Amino acid sequence: MYKYSYSQQEEVRSMKIKNNRLEALRLIISSQQLGSQEELLNALQKEGFKLTQATLSRDLKQLKVAKAATMGGNYVYVLPNESMYKRVSTPSTVREMMQISGFVSLRFSGNMAIIKTRPGYASSIAWNIDNSALPQLLGSIAGADTIFVALKEGVPHEEVINALSVVIPNIK
């Protein structure tokens, strides 16, 4: 079984924290009308994320967040047009929303894996997989609700599941 070095473990842990923070940020923006970075920082802090304004700015840029005018003439943060994060009128808490994963199932065939997701979730999960640089995987291709994952030769499926659990916590 593949053993992670201390620095690799730290990198994986850091990536998991960032992925969780980005997911929380998406959910906050899609469920609240916030118009300043200070409001976003406060909302993230209420969810247990402590970060600087500079880190928040980088996260907003990575998520391609923009500001749009509301009917009342105020400007609020909005996400790119992705069906997964449409603004909801009766929001749940971020913690409740993060419990609902887009992941549905995982199946293997040789050095290939197919991940089924809820509609609209595949591309963001695949993006997280590819940007996690997991050493067991070569890469992924996503559709609307399906992700094809190419595995490195000889990597046990259990090891792949353990590696993917960094990106998809409820995969086990």
Side-chain angles (χ1 to χ4, degrees):
M1 181 164 259
Y2 184 83
K3 300 278 186 194
Y4 289 109
S5 69
Y6 179 76
S7 63
Q8 287 173 316
Q9 289 174 352
E10 284 299 308
E11 188 175 322
V12 166
R13 188 182 69 75
S14 176
M15 182 60 71
K16 188 173 186 177
I17 290 168
K18 181 177 181 182
N19 287 340
N20 287 342
R21 185 181 70 238
L22 291 175
E23 181 68 8
L25 187 54
R26 286 183 192 105
L27 294 169
I28 288 167
I29 291 170
S30 67
S31 64
Q32 300 176 39
Q33 291 192 356
L34 303 175
S36 72
Q37 287 192 4
E38 184 178 340
E39 290 173 320
L40 283 173
L41 284 169
N42 289 336
L44 284 164
Q45 189 168 4
K46 286 179 186 174
E47 298 300 330
F49 296 95
K50 293 181 179 26
L51 60 150
T52 65
Q53 185 274 328
T55 300
L56 177 60
S57 290
R58 286 189 294 274
D59 288 352
L60 293 172
K61 183 176 181 180
Q62 181 176 339
L63 295 175
K64 297 181 172 77
V65 171
K67 277 195 165 182
T70 64
M71 296 298 280
N74 297 323
Y75 284 86
V76 296
Y77 288 104
V78 294
L79 293 161
N81 252 351
E82 296 176 10
S83 60
M84 184 173 158
Y85 297 104
K86 294 285 189 216
R87 189 171 304 281
V88 292
S89 56
T90 55
S92 304
T93 67
V94 170
R95 288 201 193 289
E96 291 170 336
M97 288 187 283
M98 287 183 79
Q99 297 304 312
I100 302 169
S101 169
F103 172 76
V104 174
S105 66
L106 169 67
R107 297 191 65 194
F108 292 98
S109 179
N111 68 331
M112 299 178 290
I114 298 296
I115 299 172
K116 296 298 278 180
T117 71
R118 293 183 15 215
Y121 281 64
S123 64
S124 63
I125 292 173
W127 186 90
N128 287 335
I129 290 170
D130 290 341
N131 284 286
S132 294
L134 302 173
Q136 300 83 352
L137 309 178
L138 297 173
S140 68
I141 301 171
D145 64 357
T146 304
I147 305 167
F148 167 83
V149 182
L151 315 177
K152 285 189 178 172
E153 287 291 332
V155 176
H157 295 167
E158 187 63 36
E159 187 176 328
V160 171
I161 293 169
N162 289 336
L164 285 171
S165 71
V166 170
V167 180
I168 309 168
N170 63 333
I171 199 166
K172 290 185 175 186

